Structures are given as structure tokens and as C-alpha cells.
């Protein structure tokens, strides 16, 4: 049975990523932090196993990932990561950095819809 905790190096990397967010991450975080969106608690740069996700609402089992152009070359790694996270019971929403920068309102609406769907299932 695999360990429940993430490796210490993963926690360290998550800490470093929180110190240096990208512009789209900072922009979206202003809407997700401090229970601002539907009173849901989000964490940023959250370690799950060997992976670090951009944003996570642990109680709702919802992950939000912001992808930049580097993800165009990492399809297989992203697929493995998604399979692992889905296996842990998480739903993943993916947005391009460009979406957050140019159409933040639509991103927020998509997140709210996903949260509503999760709440309706409970």
C-alpha cells in the first residue's frame, strides 16, 4: 500500500512554487483565496502524492490546473498525472493561462458550475 503523505521534496517544491506564482496563478488566486468563491476552501500549489497541483479544494475533491505552452510537449506526463489524480477521486478542471489572463470571468463561471455539480451530488 503506497504511503499517504507526499515525499518531503514534493512539499519543498510546492513551497517554492507558492513563493513564485505565475501572473495567471496570482490573478486566479485573488478569487479563490480566503473562501471567496462559494465559501470553498482552496489551497494553492498543493502536494498530492508525487504531484503538485495549482489549486485544490480538498473537501470537494476538485483540482484546478493552469496550463501554459509547456504542456503542449507534455501530453503523456499530463495524462499519467490525470489518471493518478482521478484515481484518488479528484475532478480536474484545466484552463490555459491565456484564458485566465483574457477571460477570467468565464473561468470563474466554469469553476462555480463545477462546484455546483459537486454540491448537487452530495
Amino acid at each position: 500500500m503506497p504511503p499517504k503523505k507526499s515525499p518531503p521534496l514534493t512539499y519543498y517544491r510546492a513551497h517554492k512554487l507558492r513563493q513564485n506564482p505565475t501572473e495567471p496563478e496570482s490573478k486566479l488566486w485573488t478569487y479563490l483565496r480566503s473562501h471567496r468563491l462559494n465559501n470553498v476552501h482552496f489551497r494553492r500549489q498543493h502536494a498530492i502524492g508525487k504531484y503538485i497541483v495549482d489549486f485544490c479544494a480538498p473537501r470537494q475533491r476538485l483540482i484546478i490546473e493552469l496550463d501554459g505552452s509547456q504542456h503542449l510537449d507534455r501530453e503523456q506526463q499530463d495524462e499519467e498525472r490525470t489518471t493518478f489524480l482521478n484515481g484518488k477521486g479528484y475532478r480536474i478542471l484545466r484552463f490555459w493561462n491565456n484564458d485566465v489572463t483574457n477571460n477570467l470571468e468565464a473561468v470563474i463561471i466554469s469553476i462555480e458550475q463545477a462546484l455546483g455539480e459537486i454540491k448537487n451530488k452530495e
Side-chain angles (χ1 to χ4, degrees):
M1 188 163 158
K4 290 191 175 205
K5 289 191 142 214
S6 297
L9 183 58
T10 304
Y11 284 117
Y12 175 77
R13 287 182 179 149
H15 173 72
K16 288 296 183 191
L17 287 169
R18 282 191 296 274
Q19 291 178 337
N20 298 304
T22 65
E23 185 178 327
E25 288 171 347
S26 291
K27 194 170 185 178
L28 184 56
W29 182 239
T30 61
Y31 288 87
L32 300 179
R33 64 181 293 173
S34 304
H35 301 259
R36 291 181 183 170
L37 188 66
N38 293 8
N39 203 29
V40 173
H41 171 72
F42 280 92
R43 295 178 182 169
R44 63 187 173 114
Q45 303 303 338
H46 180 63
I48 302 173
K50 67 178 184 175
Y51 300 105
I52 300 169
V53 299
D54 293 328
F55 302 100
C56 180
R59 287 189 183 136
Q60 289 75 15
R61 311 293 284 174
L62 179 66
I63 292 171
I64 300 168
E65 288 284 86
L66 302 184
D67 295 339
S69 59
Q70 73 276 13
H71 286 270
L72 294 172
D73 299 330
R74 296 180 40 196
E75 282 186 45
Q76 184 173 351
Q77 291 99 325
D78 283 347
E79 199 172 301
E80 290 169 7
R81 173 187 169 105
T82 297
T83 300
F84 172 82
L85 295 169
N86 287 157
K88 295 287 185 187
Y90 287 95
R91 177 177 175 186
I92 302 167
L93 296 180
R94 290 189 173 277
F95 301 99
W96 290 104
N97 286 340
N98 202 24
D99 294 332
V100 174
T101 302
N102 297 323
N103 199 0
L104 182 60
E105 187 175 326
V107 171
I108 297 296
I109 289 169
S110 294
I111 297 169
E112 288 176 326
Q113 287 173 342
L115 290 169
E117 292 168 10
I118 291 167
K119 187 174 183 177
N120 289 337
K121 286 182 182 179
E122 293 176 345

